Amino acid sequence: MRALVPVILCIALASCGASKQRATIAFTSSAFQNGQRIPTQYSCDGANQAPPLSWGDPPKGTKSFALVINDPDAPGGTFRHWGVYAIPASAHSIGQGQNTGAEVINDKGLIGYTGPCPPPGNGLHHYHFKLFALNVDRLRLPSRAKVIDVENAAAEHAIAQGELIGTYERR
């Protein structure tokens, strides 16, 4: 029995760092390709309208989706541009004026989408569009929820995730 103790401890320690593996979901935009520039019309320099976003079939067990957009390159730390949850599992797209799901307060203090608007001369910013396929119909969020609340709650219930990165720079 004593000979097994070191083996059991090694197995227990090895499993401590194990992370939950998620399936991936195809996530794209007809407005820009992954890693490419977000067109001006989807920024504060244009119409400030959410770009069209679409995704493939979700994995079995998906009951809803959540979406967040973050800019980790913002001068004051990550700026959260948009958070939406309770997107129906039957949906395959969002954005460009399409209202689906429940929007939350972004870091500008507004409900809904706020497009890329980095300070002029601040360099190239990367906007992370994250889509979560969830195992719940609706996230339990506080009233006056913020984008960070959506992202944290979605991470707890995600069975698949897709990510699309767009860039934007103001000179």
Side-chain angles (χ1 to χ4, degrees):
M1 186 66 162
R2 285 186 169 188
L4 289 177
V5 171
V7 173
I8 293 170
L9 284 174
C10 285
I11 292 171
L13 287 173
S15 67
C16 285
S19 63
K20 181 181 171 184
Q21 291 290 340
R22 283 190 195 125
T24 57
I25 186 166
F27 186 41
T28 61
S29 176
S30 60
F32 64 95
Q33 298 297 312
N34 190 42
Q36 299 299 309
R37 187 177 190 280
I38 298 169
T40 302
Q41 77 182 74
Y42 305 110
S43 75
C44 68
D45 296 319
N48 206 27
Q49 184 179 45
L53 303 167
S54 59
W55 52 90
D57 289 332
K60 188 176 182 173
T62 299
K63 294 183 178 178
S64 70
F65 293 99
L67 169 74
V68 297
I69 303 173
N70 297 323
D71 171 11
D73 302 321
T78 300
F79 188 93
R80 292 165 176 86
H81 287 263
W82 196 23
V84 186
Y85 68 104
I87 301 168
S90 59
H92 282 84
S93 64
I94 193 171
Q96 196 135 6
Q98 229 181 347
N99 289 331
T100 193
E103 296 177 309
V104 298
I105 301 167
N106 61 40
D107 284 357
K108 193 172 180 180
L110 303 172
I111 293 175
Y113 176 81
T114 294
C117 199
N122 193 242
L124 189 68
H125 284 230
H126 298 81
Y127 297 85
H128 295 252
F129 294 70
K130 298 177 188 177
L131 179 75
F132 299 90
L134 307 175
N135 62 4
V136 293
D137 292 323
R138 187 176 185 92
L139 296 172
R140 291 181 172 261
L141 297 174
S143 64
R144 312 268 314 143
K146 297 183 177 187
V147 178
I148 189 73
D149 299 323
V150 172
E151 188 166 12
N152 289 339
E156 292 288 318
H157 294 283
I159 56 177
Q161 183 176 337
E163 185 169 15
L164 174 66
I165 299 172
T167 63
Y168 196 77
E169 180 176 11
R170 296 173 78 208
R171 296 180 192 257

